[in-house]
Amino acid sequence: MKQKGVEDFASKRVWVIGASSGIGEACTIALIKAGAKVALSSRRAERLNALAQAGDQEQTLVLPLDVTHQEQLADAHQSILATWGGLDLLLFVSGIYTPLRADNFDFDVAQKTIDANLLGPMRAVAVVLPEMLKSHAGHIAIVGSVAGYSGLPKALAYGPSKAGIINFCEILYYDLLPQGVSVHMISPGFVATEATAQNDFEMPALITPDEAAREILKGIQAGVFDIHFPKRFSGFLKFLRILPYPLYFWILRRFVKI
Ligand SMILES: NC(=O)c1ccc[n+]([C@@H]2O[C@H](COP(=O)([O-])OP(=O)(O)OC[C@H]3O[C@@H](n4cnc5c(N)ncnc54)[C@H](OP(=O)(O)O)[C@@H]3O)[C@@H](O)[C@H]2O)c1
């Protein structure tokens, strides 16, 4: 059994959470260009409003919210249903990253990171699932990270939040395939955005947000579960995670200078 893709984004009703910058912004622009109806969410309403101008009035819906608030997600979902009568694709892109090592471990940062990056998508999925299950249709796409594959330096809170996304998506996929709801787990490598502008090291295989958006939308169209890119980097990290731990940590200490 193979899950469904999206033949054509034209007129599809898409909810992009994390639309105001970076990868989410690039996906939003590409979806609007492809003729999709796009609901734009994140906290910065003024950026969402400016971005919504890329489409005509019937095509976009600006729904500012904070993913750490369940009721804001539920209200936004109700607005989408009231306006468009349904939702075809939830594209959850929102996420935060604060570099964290063991010698500056800060529980408050860890809690905020898990709340936004892991509980945020879980809240959104809890909000959209009942309708999708009822109609035996729909797509759930969540942006995780290759940093969730295995432990990497400076990711003491971010890494666990993204590892959780991988597990969450795997189980969602298992449960939802027989129900006709497609799941897309998205694991980008380095993408040049506001989030990575703070990195003080050379990022290997760095790509642009537009390239990331192309990979994401192509994967969703084809019905792919495991969307990862750029392959030269994500493929290498997939290989690293199957190595025995002594070898894995040796390679990390020898070659990762961050
Ligand atoms: N850039 C990379 O190299 C890379 C690599 C792997 C994975 N990723 C993942 O890709 C996703 C997008 O990252 P990006 O690089 O494009 O970063 P970005 O430019 O900083 O975008 C992050 C987005 O998340 C939104 N957001 C953050 N906290 C939120 C909250 N509490 N409620 C609602 N929206 C919130 C931000 O909007 P507001 O500030 O307006 O709320 C913004 O739209 C993240 O999940 C990130 O972990 C990025």
Side-chain angles (χ1 to χ4, degrees), residues 3-38:
Q3 67 176 6
K4 285 194 207 94
V6 176
E7 239 169 67
D8 186 356
F9 283 113
S11 300
K12 290 288 180 307
R13 300 155 299 185
V14 184
W15 186 11
V16 182
I17 302 182
S20 61
S21 65
I23 300 170
E25 176 181 2
C27 287
T28 300
I29 292 169
L31 284 162
I32 290 173
K33 272 195 192 142
K37 293 184 161 134
V38 186

Side-chain angles (χ1 to χ4, degrees), residues 3 166 169-171 173 183-186 219 223-227:
Q3 67 176 6
I166 291 174
C169 287
E170 288 168 350
I171 300 166
Y173 175 74
V183 177
H184 310 277
M185 174 178 77
I186 300 161
V224 177
F225 164 65
D226 183 13
I227 301 172

Side-chain angles (χ1 to χ4, degrees), residues 173-233:
Y173 175 74
Y174 180 84
D175 283 348
L176 294 177
L177 184 64
Q179 300 291 334
V181 178
S182 300
V183 177
H184 310 277
M185 174 178 77
I186 300 161
S187 308
F190 287 112
V191 184
T193 66
E194 287 174 21
T196 46
Q198 62 182 318
N199 287 346
D200 54 3
F201 55 89
E202 200 179 315
M203 292 176 269
L206 183 70
I207 60 170
T208 65
D210 286 344
E211 287 173 285
R214 267 198 299 280
E215 292 282 355
I216 290 170
L217 300 186
K218 189 178 74 183
I220 294 173
Q221 280 198 291
V224 177
F225 164 65
D226 183 13
I227 301 172
H228 62 97
F229 54 85
K231 297 278 189 301
R232 60 190 186 280
F233 188 59

Side-chain angles (χ1 to χ4, degrees), residues 20-21 23 42-44 66-67 93-94 158 162 189 191 193 196:
S20 61
S21 65
I23 300 170
S42 79
R43 293 163 303 181
R44 288 171 291 177
D66 186 322
V67 299
V93 191
S94 161
Y158 184 75
K162 296 299 187 178
V191 184
T193 66
T196 46

